[in-house]
Amino acid sequence: MQAWRNARSALEPMRTALFCLLLVISTVALAQPVIRSANGVLNASSGLPDVAKGSWFVIFGTGLGPATIAVQSGPPYPAELSGTSIAFTPVSGGAPIAALMYYTVATQIAGLLPSGTPTGAYRVTVTHNQQTSAPKTVNVVDHNFGFATETANGQGPAQATYNDYVLNRFTTGTLGQWGLRPASPGDLMVLWGTGLGPDPASDISGGTSGDQTASAQVSVIVDGITVTPLYAGRSSGSPGLDQIDFLVPAAVTPGCFVSLHVMAGGRSSNLGSIAVAPAGHDACVSPALTQAQLQKLDAGGTLTAGGIQLAKSAAALTSTVSESTDTAAGWFGKYTVDAVANSNLAVVQAGSCFLVQRPGTIDQLGFGLPPAQILDAGTQLTVNGPSASNKAVPRQADGSYLATLYSTGVLGSGATGSPTLTAGTYTVSGAGGAGVGAFSASVTLPGDFVWTNQSSLANPVPRAAPLTVRWTGGGDGLVVILGAALTQTAGTGASETFSALGFNCTAAASAGSFTVPSNILQQLPAVSGDATGTTFGLLSLFAVPDSSKAQGIFNAPLTGGGTIDLGVLGYEVAFTRVLGYN
């Protein structure tokens, strides 16, 4: 959301693919292998760094293997495949350890690290056709579980199954040989992935030493509710492939994007979601998405959507330093299911909370993953309203639309522009471009929203106790309570990128207060309240429209024919405070 910007400028067909990231088939000419400098070696299911003993991992780069992919069809997996091999050499000294090969192609290879590998730092090298890459330093750890997701990139809906060739999906139906349906509370579900921990019985023949729930301290967190698995360990017959069997908790709040992650050995997995339907329903319920749109995503399709946001934001960076801005921003594009899950399209009903994990710049953290394909809706959008007359929102180099209409405080040089977003009805229009035709949309901003207990909240926020926030106003829309722990990953200034883990809770504006449960707060890591550090926390309160009441919903034609699937003109009357969590 834009206010963040102010805080700091038994299933064999599946077993062959569930634990691997998307294969990138390449026709790059043979060259000396080069491992990608950033995120070059990752867990094969989660896409997170560090390699666990006995787990599958992927390496990205160039010249890593042949131009045409070579795949080992099953165990035992060799130490060399199509002239490609992987070596882990201890930084502290010692003989290299050979990984076992699953597939190799010029831009990506996958290997299995033997369970007997000691923990520590290693220099990883790839050799192809007798040419060896420069080393990449990688940490080998005991546990680093990641689960497979529908889009095979570690994000969005989990590729979870039931014990009957049925996949967890938004709607009930079929996809090839697979059945599809959302979960119900009490269902037995299976997560598939890699990295639970070493199991020498599995590496060569696909055996299993049994349940690792206790030894690896495995728990599944669904909708903030901690569940002890019925089984967590290797899947028999598939080296390195883990399965976690668990029951969907009875107290889960039904939704299309119920948050889910796993703790193993004190480490968190990737964060994803499952679909849970209300009792008596054969599809999950989303306030923003129709059942037809959910079915389209289930079939592997994309949603063509437009999201435009008018944001009036006040950010307290410290007890004495603040920033106020009025902005207009938006995207038009085609969203894959993982981008939908990590965008503001994945809203839930009032009274619920879910976790969200987002990488990127401050702007990307606010809006979530951008569309897979950006659509051109013209050179600019235009805003008109009570205090705005033909305000231009230009198209940026990345295809988004962004304009700062007013700014005052530490991030600006005095005041820039004049206050633009006040109470009343605003219209955003576009003349159209190569992808999207001319359109017009309207929404009414409330003018009386105030976060009444902002200054009295403890800093840092104690995660072991519930957190109550109070407000007045907000009209007949919703209030979103958003807390996040941010860690800087790269860049400086406006180019800084972060990894953010946060919670998103929704309440009716008329409620006047909401209490975030401690089991949700405890999912965030401890961070400081210093926005100049490499890690810090945020807490935000947003008054937003209620899409279930069709507030701000609009349509727009596509130049190629038809219309967009969904258009939302939203508003945010937002307050943000930088604070820590302990």
Side-chain angles (χ1 to χ4, degrees), residues 307-393:
I308 304 169
Q309 201 83 315
L310 302 176
K312 186 176 187 65
S313 306
L317 306 182
T318 70
S319 60
T320 59
V321 178
S322 63
E323 169 76 7
S324 297
T325 59
D326 291 355
T327 57
W331 293 96
F332 282 86
K334 294 184 178 180
Y335 285 78
T336 52
V337 69
D338 56 327
V340 172
N342 285 287
S343 75
N344 298 334
L345 300 175
V347 296
V348 293
Q349 66 269 29
S352 65
C353 292
F354 66 97
L355 298 173
V356 62
Q357 189 172 45
R358 292 177 177 175
T361 65
I362 287 290
D363 288 335
Q364 290 168 340
L365 295 180
F367 284 102
L369 292 180
Q373 178 182 342
I374 304 299
L375 295 178
D376 178 5
T379 57
Q380 69 173 47
L381 308 180
T382 303
V383 180
N384 281 283
S387 300
S389 177
N390 293 324
K391 293 283 188 178
V393 186

Side-chain angles (χ1 to χ4, degrees), residues 30 285 393:
L30 295 178
V285 177
V393 186

Side-chain angles (χ1 to χ4, degrees), residues 46-443:
S46 69
L48 296 177
D50 295 345
V51 178
K53 300 176 180 181
S55 70
W56 289 100
F57 60 91
V58 287
I59 298 178
F60 297 94
T62 58
L64 302 176
T68 302
I69 191 169
V71 181
Q72 174 68 20
S73 60
Y77 293 96
E80 182 176 327
L81 179 65
S82 192
T84 304
S85 60
I86 306 168
F88 280 65
T89 303
V91 170
S92 59
I97 297 170
L100 305 178
M101 297 292 303
Y102 172 43
Y103 66 77
T104 174
V105 70
T107 56
Q108 183 177 328
I109 56 179
L112 176 69
L113 184 66
S115 291
T117 305
T119 59
Y122 286 78
R123 294 185 178 95
V124 177
T125 56
V126 173
T127 298
H128 178 61
N129 286 347
Q130 301 181 343
Q131 296 188 77
T132 300
S133 72
K136 171 74 173 177
T137 301
V138 173
N139 292 321
V140 171
V141 296
D142 287 317
H143 312 281
N144 185 23
F145 179 73
F147 57 84
T149 59
E150 185 179 340
T151 49
N153 62 1
Q155 300 183 48
Q159 193 78 310
T161 67
Y162 310 95
N163 281 339
D164 49 5
Y165 272 85
V166 176
L167 294 165
N168 178 256
R169 290 294 189 267
F170 303 129
T171 61
T172 299
T174 58
L175 183 66
Q177 65 176 320
W178 294 91
L180 311 175
R181 70 173 176 86
S184 298
D187 273 350
L188 174 64
M189 295 191 70
V190 183
L191 282 180
W192 303 87
T194 191
L196 272 181
D199 188 346
S202 173
D203 292 357
I204 305 302
S205 62
T208 176
S209 298
D211 186 19
Q212 297 185 39
T213 298
S215 61
Q217 300 176 306
V218 183
S219 59
V220 182
I221 297 89
V222 184
D223 195 27
I225 303 168
T226 300
V227 178
T228 300
L230 303 176
Y231 173 83
R234 293 294 192 271
S235 182
S236 180
S238 297
L241 177 61
D242 296 317
Q243 68 177 82
I244 299 178
D245 304 351
F246 70 98
L247 297 177
V248 178
V252 67
T253 301
C256 293
F257 303 96
V258 175
S259 60
L260 175 144
H261 69 287
V262 173
M263 296 297 298
R267 293 180 62 123
S268 178
S269 72
N270 50 318
L271 177 65
S273 62
I274 57 173
V276 180
H281 289 242
D282 60 2
C284 64
V285 177
S286 167
L289 304 175
T290 67
Q291 185 165 345
Q293 291 166 350
L294 294 170
Q295 288 174 327
K296 187 176 182 180
L297 291 172
D298 278 344
T302 59
L303 291 185
T304 303
I308 304 169
Q309 201 83 315
L310 302 176
K312 186 176 187 65
S313 306
L317 306 182
T318 70
S319 60
T320 59
V321 178
S322 63
E323 169 76 7
S324 297
T325 59
D326 291 355
T327 57
W331 293 96
F332 282 86
K334 294 184 178 180
Y335 285 78
T336 52
V337 69
D338 56 327
V340 172
N342 285 287
S343 75
N344 298 334
L345 300 175
V347 296
V348 293
Q349 66 269 29
S352 65
C353 292
F354 66 97
L355 298 173
V356 62
Q357 189 172 45
R358 292 177 177 175
T361 65
I362 287 290
D363 288 335
Q364 290 168 340
L365 295 180
F367 284 102
L369 292 180
Q373 178 182 342
I374 304 299
L375 295 178
D376 178 5
T379 57
Q380 69 173 47
L381 308 180
T382 303
V383 180
N384 281 283
S387 300
S389 177
N390 293 324
K391 293 283 188 178
V393 186
R395 193 167 193 252
Q396 307 297 301
D398 63 359
S400 67
Y401 295 87
L402 177 64
T404 299
L405 306 175
Y406 170 70
S407 177
T408 183
V410 67
L411 298 184
S413 177
T416 302
S418 58
T420 302
L421 301 178
T422 57
T425 298
Y426 286 78
T427 299
V428 178
S429 58
V436 179
F439 74 94
S440 180
S442 297
V443 71

Side-chain angles (χ1 to χ4, degrees), residues 559-577:
T559 55
T563 63
I564 61 175
D565 293 302
L566 176 66
V568 180
L569 169 58
Y571 61 77
E572 294 177 357
V573 181
F575 300 91
T576 295
R577 183 178 171 187

